[in-house]
Amino acid sequence: MSILDFFKNMVNTSSKSKINTNRQNKREIKSIHDFSNAEIELLKYMDNKPLTFDIPAYWNEKVNDPKQFIELCISKKYVNDQNIEGSLMRLTIAELKKILDMYGLPKKGKKGDLVKTIKENLSLEQIKKYPDFKLYYSLSDELRTRIDNYLKEKEENFNKMFDDIVKFIKEGNIDAAIERYFNYERSLVFVPSSGPFFSEQQKRSFDIAFNELSYSDVVNTEEYINILKAVIIACMITGIDYMRKNIVVDYINNNTNEIFNCPKLKEYLMDTYNYLGDEFFAIDKNNPAAEAMLKIYIHTKSSEAMNKAVYYEVVESDDPYIIGIEILPPNNPDDMCKICKRKKKIYKKSEFDKLPKIPAHYGCRCSYLKKYKPLG
């Protein structure tokens, strides 16, 4: 099955799902286990929101009549819309004392004491007369447990998908890896912003990552480096935020006893952040710095592969509207990379002999971007 066929199937499945949702009658709940994934996501989203908040319109595509669904959850006691104590705790001590002043009540004690005095002596209608008081939704303990279990299952599904993708990549089956990712995306309530379609540019970057990138700076066995390569491509396919998620480090540590060792990266970090000593970078699986180094390295190599793919696409393209490459630094107030001090700059195809290599350093967040001729 081609990439385009995967995309068409995904769109068709999504359309059918929307039609079926729109045909639903009034929702009934027999048990807390009846919630769909979309309904759980909605309940998680609305937890600790004020009763006056407006549900964003996009929820109508995910949950049939979300307002009616929330009202039903309130009637079932899964959601509390009379959470007086929790709502009072959101106020400052000064605000709580103003409420107590309104009714001549004592203002002694800590915040919890003030809330207790208000709750024991005033009705909800009296409390509401204070203009800054708002009631907030809160979820029952049973519902919170249901959400926690859902999130745990969601994480487990992602981890299983990631493991499968790495396995397919190590077997050299990129198409199977992409199909596995599509199947995972179909199960999600919210699809990642990267979207389900992989362009030829992205597929090229997978080949580059596996065949053209040099790992000569890594002092590890070939077996370890092959795992590292596969993980990098898996990160690129899934769009995982590999600088923050521990799944990358966990996968590598669970599949090898070796410890990531890159003397050049260690030297670079010590030179750049000269207050860090040798002890900080101890080659130890339990050392957070060692894990951080591995994430930085994976980020750097993924960035290198993607930038190479953009470069090759521009060089080989016959599109007259693609005129070159723009260096795009990370977003910050100065609009430049804080380390390599690189600013935005456009290089036309005729200037590619001067095009700087990106990433310029370990952890560099600058990137290549295709530059198009302005319209009109």
Side-chain angles (χ1 to χ4, degrees), residues 204-217:
R204 175 188 293 280
S205 69
F206 304 151
D207 293 332
I208 290 169
F210 217 75
N211 299 313
E212 292 192 21
L213 297 188
S214 169
Y215 296 84
S216 59
D217 52 349

Side-chain angles (χ1 to χ4, degrees), residues 98-151:
K98 286 181 181 179
I99 296 176
L100 292 166
D101 264 339
M102 288 171 59
Y103 297 99
L105 295 170
K107 298 177 289 184
K108 293 181 179 180
K110 297 180 180 179
K111 189 173 188 177
D113 299 320
L114 302 180
V115 168
K116 184 179 179 182
T117 301
I118 292 172
K119 191 178 176 187
E120 290 180 350
N121 291 277
L122 300 177
S123 67
L124 177 57
E125 291 308 313
Q126 288 175 305
I127 298 171
K128 281 182 176 179
K129 290 181 181 179
Y130 178 68
D132 291 331
F133 174 77
K134 294 178 182 176
L135 272 174
Y136 288 79
Y137 290 112
S138 65
L139 308 184
S140 68
D141 290 342
E142 184 184 9
L143 183 51
R144 288 187 192 280
T145 300
R146 175 75 175 89
I147 291 175
D148 288 344
N149 290 338
Y150 160 76
L151 294 175

